[in-house]
Amino acid sequence: MTTVPGRSVPEGDTIRHHEVSDAFYRLLLGPTMVCSGGYWEDGEGLTETLDEAQERKLDRFVELAGAAGARRVLDVGCGWGTMLNRLTVVHGVEQAVGLTPSRTQEQFITGFGNPRISARVESWEDHTTQDLYDAAFCINALEQVVPSVLAPRERAERYRAFFSTVGAVLKPGARFVLHTMTAETLPVNGRLLEDLRFLRRADSPFHAGHIPHLHELAQAADGLFDVIEIVNERESFAVACRAWLHRLAQCRDVAVVLAGEEVVARFERCLGIFAYTLEDKFFNNFRVTIARR
């Protein structure tokens, strides 16, 4: 595998999100190490088929992107590299390039020993290439693109920059599949307000930036991409959160040894918040398939 040094990710940012070990994340997320909603079939067990549900989801994304057999594919916010590995091992992609802010994740991906994967500790803002991609993915990483403190106009500019940057490295007609949370405009009660503040804290396990509204993304991509489909999959993400909570409860003693009581408690609260806000339709989780013009 080729690893290429990033140019703009500060060292502190590469490790802040991963204050706990890969062993803890494997305990929580399962061997697939995918942190997004899965595709369960009727009658399947919540935790027993967690990995199959995640792989089924990734395979569907590959199908939507037309990425099977492609020469070169990009994954923005590639996590622990499960999609990169599956693209090359299962779907015949010649080269899969992943961007991550985490050196921990880069090292994990290196452990695959897969020469068809290139992992880069690099921001999407700095990624350029003359060798354009045939397809791209961004699986629940767009939530980190815009800091929550930005004003609406600044947020719009940053989302526009994101879609412009990704579009610039894609071939004309190439598809880009996003999985991203969005927020609804609903009355906010005291509990919800407190929980949203917790999600934005620096010590929140899945510290999020601005959770966009769908119209913000539509405006940002307008003129750059054509919309193929938009599907709201909030239920599948809520189910995944419940599955992770169940796994954590089953192995809590081991989790505490790996990460400490305080960290485990923060994960439990964070996952519980995401589960109920998706179930109560405050948050959505959209699967968006678009094609570069």
Side-chain angles (χ1 to χ4, degrees):
M1 185 185 79
T2 303
T3 55
V4 181
R7 294 182 292 146
S8 71
V9 181
E11 181 66 23
D13 286 352
T14 68
I15 61 175
R16 176 186 54 77
H17 180 69
H18 298 280
E19 64 179 4
V20 298
S21 67
D22 289 335
F24 175 86
Y25 280 105
R26 185 180 178 88
L27 185 74
L28 175 69
L29 302 175
T32 51
M33 299 281 277
V34 176
C35 189
S36 68
Y39 289 175
W40 279 264
E41 294 183 348
D42 291 343
E44 289 186 333
L46 193 64
T47 58
E48 294 84 355
T49 56
L50 172 61
D51 294 307
E52 290 88 342
Q54 293 292 5
E55 290 171 350
R56 193 177 292 134
K57 183 267 304 292
L58 296 181
D59 292 343
R60 177 58 176 149
F61 283 14
V62 173
E63 180 184 1
L64 287 167
R71 191 178 69 83
R72 193 165 148 83
V73 176
L74 175 68
D75 188 2
V76 181
C78 63
W80 289 270
T82 305
M83 174 60 103
L84 301 174
N85 205 45
R86 196 160 184 83
L87 282 165
T88 55
V89 172
V90 177
H91 296 287
V93 170
E94 292 183 25
Q95 183 187 31
V97 177
L99 307 182
T100 173
S102 168
R103 298 195 186 282
T104 302
Q105 288 180 337
E106 178 207 30
Q107 292 164 6
F108 186 91
I109 295 167
T110 301
F112 291 145
N114 186 340
R116 295 160 76 178
I117 294 175
S118 296
R120 297 170 178 255
V121 181
E122 182 177 81
S123 167
W124 60 266
E125 296 175 89
D126 293 326
H127 187 62
T128 61
T129 182
Q130 297 300 314
D131 192 2
L132 300 181
Y133 295 101
D134 299 295
F137 302 93
C138 181
I139 304 174
N140 286 108
L142 186 63
E143 297 88 342
Q144 305 295 329
V145 165
V146 174
S148 58
V149 296
L150 292 186
R153 182 173 180 178
E154 295 173 304
R155 294 201 304 260
E157 291 172 351
R158 189 156 175 82
Y159 283 127
R160 184 67 173 181
F162 175 80
F163 285 103
S164 296
T165 300
V166 174
V169 299
L170 286 172
K171 293 178 179 177
R175 290 191 175 188
F176 181 28
V177 178
L178 293 144
H179 222 205
T180 184
M181 296 186 72
T182 69
E184 293 287 341
T185 303
L186 297 172
V188 179
N189 57 40
R191 176 200 174 187
L192 180 58
L193 183 60
E194 182 181 348
D195 286 342
L196 294 178
R197 286 173 176 162
F198 173 79
L199 293 179
R200 290 173 177 168
R201 279 170 40 179
D203 63 350
S204 176
F206 300 103
H207 175 65
H210 173 67
I211 304 297
H213 296 285
L214 187 59
H215 69 80
E216 292 180 293
L217 304 183
Q219 291 169 359
D222 185 44
L224 302 172
F225 290 87
D226 292 319
V227 176
I228 306 300
E229 71 155 19
I230 300 176
V231 180
N232 195 346
E233 298 186 325
R234 70 166 77 92
E235 293 85 0
S236 70
F237 203 175
V239 170
C241 290
R242 295 296 181 193
W244 298 327
L245 279 168
H246 189 64
R247 283 182 62 90
L248 194 54
Q250 287 180 315
C251 304
R252 199 178 192 282
D253 290 345
V254 178
V256 170
V257 170
L258 290 171
E261 173 65 35
E262 183 179 351
V263 170
V264 171
R266 291 205 303 266
F267 270 84
E268 289 170 330
R269 182 178 178 190
C270 186
L271 290 171
I273 293 170
F274 278 131
Y276 92 78
T277 52
L278 288 160
E279 291 162 350
D280 291 350
K281 302 181 180 180
F282 182 83
F283 286 142
N284 302 302
N285 196 62
F286 279 101
R287 185 183 77 200
V288 180
T289 305
I290 53 182
R292 187 207 157 183
R293 288 191 171 181

